[in-house]
Amino acid sequence: MQAAPPVRATAIPSVTDALRAVESLLMSSGQRTARRNAWTSVLEDRRRAKDRVEAQRVLEQTFAVRS
């Protein structure tokens, strides 16, 4: 019986890790911060839009039940 192959001790970097490494080489820290802040704003806007749609749906259902 042969022994099992050794387990790799280091994690394989994800695509996100690789992109961040390239980003750090190409951009200054101020540019990285600005880009991340902009992306955070985009995600927050999407969350708010989703919440607005959900609130509108609840209101429409509420008024439909009362009518």
Side-chain angles (χ1 to χ4, degrees), residues 2-59:
Q2 292 182 337
V7 177
R8 179 179 282 209
T10 58
I12 298 172
S14 68
V15 172
T16 302
D17 293 336
L19 289 174
R20 285 198 175 144
V22 170
E23 174 190 65
S24 68
L25 292 172
L26 298 177
M27 294 182 171
S28 70
S29 63
Q31 288 173 322
R32 280 195 309 274
T33 300
R35 188 190 61 78
R36 287 191 183 134
N37 288 344
W39 183 244
T40 299
S41 293
V42 167
L43 295 177
E44 184 63 20
D45 288 347
R46 288 179 182 175
R47 187 194 60 78
R48 278 193 221 109
K50 182 179 173 187
D51 290 346
R52 278 192 304 273
V53 168
E54 179 64 17
Q56 182 68 30
R57 186 185 64 77
V58 168
L59 286 172

Side-chain angles (χ1 to χ4, degrees), residues 59-67:
L59 286 172
E60 288 171 355
Q61 285 180 345
T62 301
F63 288 120
V65 170
R66 289 184 177 183
S67 298

